[in-house]
Amino acid sequence: MDEASGNERGTTERVLTLLGLLQQRQVWTGPELADRLGVTPRTVRRDVERLRTLGYPVHASQGVGGGYQLGPGQNLPPLLLDDQEAIATAVSLLVGAGGAVAGDGDAALRALTKLDQVLPTRLQHEVRALSGSVESFDGGRTPVDPEVLMTLARACRDEVEAGFDYPSGGEVRRRRVEPYRLVASDRRWYLLAYDLDRDDWRSFRVDRMTDASARTWRFCPRAAPDAATYVQEGVASRVYPRQARFLVHASADTVRAQIPASAAVVRQRGSELCEVLSGAASLDFVLMHVLLLGHDFEVLDPPELGRRCRALAERLLSAGATISPVPDMGEAPTTGHDPHVR
């Protein structure tokens, strides 16, 4: 049994090595692979069949320029990375997640979390050292500490409690949470978590966190709100003292193209209707932003905003009625010297 197990391990290692070779170069001849693996061409053909059985599309062609080639499959197969490739990939993902890559930051963090789960400990310090030496001059998203992102991502993945210092009410307080999801906006990273001290769901800006750590205490996940929707509504509305809702006579796609996701929540209400939810320190400020969209709209909430609309309309009509006629500046002057004529 020991000899059989040893042979099985040897075959598995050889097949994985073969897969790694096929991922490194487009075409290998049978003799080249046999030489690299230290086996016969017949063994190479058997190992190729083993890869095909596992779902890897290995193509074989005859003649000059022919050989074995790993083709694209219907599903993304596992990739084999050597130490240098793993380090380069992890550093690139860290920069993308924590820096200014606004569109792909969330995907980069998901990929980094998967890589972190299998990255050998001996390589992790090299990844941290290299990522710390990379900076970007692009504006975009507010930079965050990659270590904080990874700490929170691991805690979400492993379903363990997390803690961090966070500014609130003019002072920095320690927060204990059950982390649920990391959410990327066009400008910032947010953590949706259940706040254990406040017994409610909260969203936190990751760039404001310090001294983040994950505990070993596991928790049973609660029924959670949709992470992206909850965070967007909080950023666009709940954080402000005044909120307003409007029914806008335009499609949701049209209005979303006019308003940043961090400024308002836009919900489809029909092919040419949508609801806009936004907040600000002043209702007049929200009203003017919706007015400047250039679409007909109705105030849904609060009722007092309807009165503000009428007051503003009267003020605008009054201002328009007092405008004096302006001379046509296109007419040539009848007297005096034209400074533009020499």
Side-chain angles (χ1 to χ4, degrees):
M1 292 297 294
D2 291 341
E3 183 178 353
S5 299
N7 291 336
E8 184 177 348
R9 284 196 301 271
T11 300
T12 301
E13 292 173 0
R14 189 179 66 248
V15 171
L16 289 175
T17 302
L18 172 61
L19 177 58
L21 291 173
L22 292 172
Q23 290 177 345
Q24 288 178 14
R25 207 168 81 185
Q26 187 172 11
V27 178
W28 291 85
T29 66
E32 286 176 330
L33 290 173
D35 182 64
R36 293 291 295 268
L37 296 172
V39 297
T40 64
R42 183 178 180 181
T43 301
V44 170
R45 290 194 294 271
R46 290 176 177 173
D47 289 346
V48 166
E49 286 302 320
R50 290 186 175 98
L51 287 177
R52 289 170 176 164
T53 302
L54 294 173
Y56 292 93
V58 183
H59 307 304
S61 57
Q62 302 292 331
V64 178
Y68 293 103
Q69 179 180 13
L70 184 64
Q74 295 182 345
N75 299 316
L76 182 66
L79 298 176
L80 296 181
L81 303 175
D82 60 27
D83 287 1
Q84 290 76 20
E85 292 168 338
I87 292 171
T89 301
V91 170
S92 298
L93 292 172
L94 277 170
V95 173
V101 184
D104 298 326
D106 49 350
L109 183 62
R110 291 198 304 271
L112 181 60
T113 305
K114 294 178 181 179
L115 183 60
D116 173 74
Q117 194 167 14
V118 296
L119 193 68
T121 303
R122 58 188 168 81
L123 300 181
Q124 291 181 355
H125 74 280
E126 295 188 49
V127 170
R128 293 189 183 96
L130 283 174
S131 62
S133 65
V134 178
E135 294 186 6
S136 172
F137 60 83
D138 191 8
R141 182 174 295 161
T142 302
V144 298
D145 185 349
E147 285 294 330
V148 174
L149 265 183
M150 281 308 304
T151 297
L152 298 174
R154 293 188 193 105
C156 291
R157 179 193 67 197
D158 300 336
E159 296 176 349
V160 296
E161 292 183 10
F164 48 84
D165 294 336
Y166 198 79
S168 176
E171 61 180 344
V172 177
R173 301 178 181 177
R174 190 69 180 174
R175 310 297 284 265
R176 298 185 308 113
V177 302
E178 294 176 355
Y180 179 64
R181 288 288 187 276
L182 281 162
V183 179
S185 75
D186 54 347
R187 295 177 57 194
R188 298 185 177 95
W189 279 101
Y190 296 88
L191 172 70
L192 174 63
Y194 193 85
D195 193 316
L196 295 171
D197 295 321
R198 289 157 179 78
D199 198 26
D200 199 3
W201 291 98
R202 292 287 190 274
S203 59
F204 303 91
R205 278 177 50 176
V206 176
D207 60 290
R208 290 182 174 176
M209 297 179 183
T210 54
D211 194 21
S213 61
R215 302 178 61 189
T216 57
W217 183 265
R218 295 180 61 88
F219 61 86
C220 182
R222 306 168 187 264
D226 179 78
T229 301
Y230 185 92
V231 171
Q232 186 194 9
E233 290 181 354
V235 171
S237 176
R238 286 194 300 268
V239 297
Y240 295 102
R242 308 303 302 271
Q243 292 86 37
R245 290 190 306 122
F246 303 87
L247 183 66
V248 179
H249 292 241
S251 69
D253 290 340
T254 298
V255 176
R256 288 192 186 106
Q258 295 178 282
I259 306 178
S262 58
V265 178
V266 181
R267 302 189 181 104
Q268 186 74 38
R269 288 291 180 263
S271 59
E272 292 300 325
L273 286 175
C274 65
E275 180 181 321
V276 175
L277 172 66
S278 187
S282 166
L283 288 177
D284 286 349
F285 186 82
V286 182
L287 179 60
M288 289 304 301
H289 270 265
V290 176
L291 177 65
L292 292 175
L293 293 177
H295 310 296
D296 292 338
F297 67 92
E298 304 163 29
V299 175
L300 299 178
D301 194 59
E304 64 182 279
L305 190 54
R307 296 190 292 270
R308 295 299 303 157
C309 284
R310 289 188 290 271
L312 179 61
E314 293 174 0
R315 190 180 307 167
L316 292 173
L317 286 173
S318 176
T322 59
I323 295 179
S324 302
V326 178
D328 186 355
M329 301 303 294
E331 297 180 358
T334 56
T335 59
H337 175 66
D338 186 347
H340 296 92
V341 178
R342 296 184 179 180

